[in-house]
Amino acid sequence: MTFELYPAVDILGGQAVRLVQGDFEQKTVYGAPEAAAEAFIARGARWLHVVDLDGARSGRPVNVGPIAAIVRRAAARGVRVQVGGGLRTLEDIRRVLALGVARVIVGTAAIEAPDVLATAVREAGEAVAVGVDLRENRVAVRGWAETKDAAAEDVLRRIAAAGVRTVIVTDIRRDGTLAGVDADRMASLARASGLRVIASGGVRSVDDVRRLSARLRDGVVGAVIGKALYAGTLDLAAALQAAAEADPAVGEEAGEEEDGR
């Protein structure tokens, strides 16, 4: 296993933005999304994490043009892209996959329309991941506007049963806050579900990357990094180096210590 970093490009109104805890009223605009993506690629990113925030609110892809442009630029440099936001029908999932993305992220549909998820997984296999957005251990859907009365562990087990291998787990209370990560919680969710977890929310520093990558053996296989890169609290090259040094055995030892407490 390897630990991957996913610099984030969130698109709202055709601009790259960062929100605080998913609040559309608390946004910072950073210019053209293509420029943000290009900057990450130039600094060594191997993956990009692109979210259509307008799509998440409306329930259908909206920023297809900018996403397609990012995918073309990334492909020319050998960089892979995962895309989420508003993918609630098979038609829209297929449409975004057709852009050449490496992975689509299904969120609300995975909770509310499991048949859509199951069919998408049958058609595209590991190119389909699920986004699980957590607010106090409950799953938020529809652009984080609604919270379901469903515990994270139960939802993750159902997702695994549908054949999904990878989930992006976002800690909403930490997202966009630079508050640091809860690596133990991410590792616990990965072990409980058997899924590969990409952690999102709160990454501030290289130490946060190391905390998460130390849980690689538990199944924490990556981290989405957003605000820290835009605000300059984290250097992407240093973060990539820390990720490259991840040792699965370290995570195994950490897990053994936790189990022994």
Side-chain angles (χ1 to χ4, degrees), residues 158-169:
R158 290 200 296 270
I159 290 168
V164 173
R165 297 290 303 281
T166 303
V167 291
I168 295 85
V169 178

Side-chain angles (χ1 to χ4, degrees), residues 110-202:
I111 310 302
E112 298 184 346
D115 55 327
V116 169
L117 176 64
T119 301
V121 172
R122 284 198 300 271
E123 291 183 0
E126 293 192 32
V128 177
V130 170
V132 177
D133 305 322
L134 299 182
R135 180 180 285 119
E136 299 299 333
N137 204 46
R138 291 295 185 267
V139 177
V141 297
R142 300 185 177 273
W144 299 358
E146 299 178 19
T147 303
K148 297 288 187 180
D149 186 20
E153 291 82 358
D154 294 337
V155 170
L156 289 172
R157 290 188 188 100
R158 290 200 296 270
I159 290 168
V164 173
R165 297 290 303 281
T166 303
V167 291
I168 295 85
V169 178
T170 299
D171 185 339
I172 294 174
R173 66 193 173 94
R174 295 173 184 266
D175 192 67
T177 66
L178 300 177
V181 299
D182 188 346
D184 289 344
R185 178 61 175 148
M186 294 294 176
S188 174
L189 291 171
R191 290 196 306 271
S193 64
L195 291 163
R196 297 185 299 226
V197 169
I198 299 171
S200 176

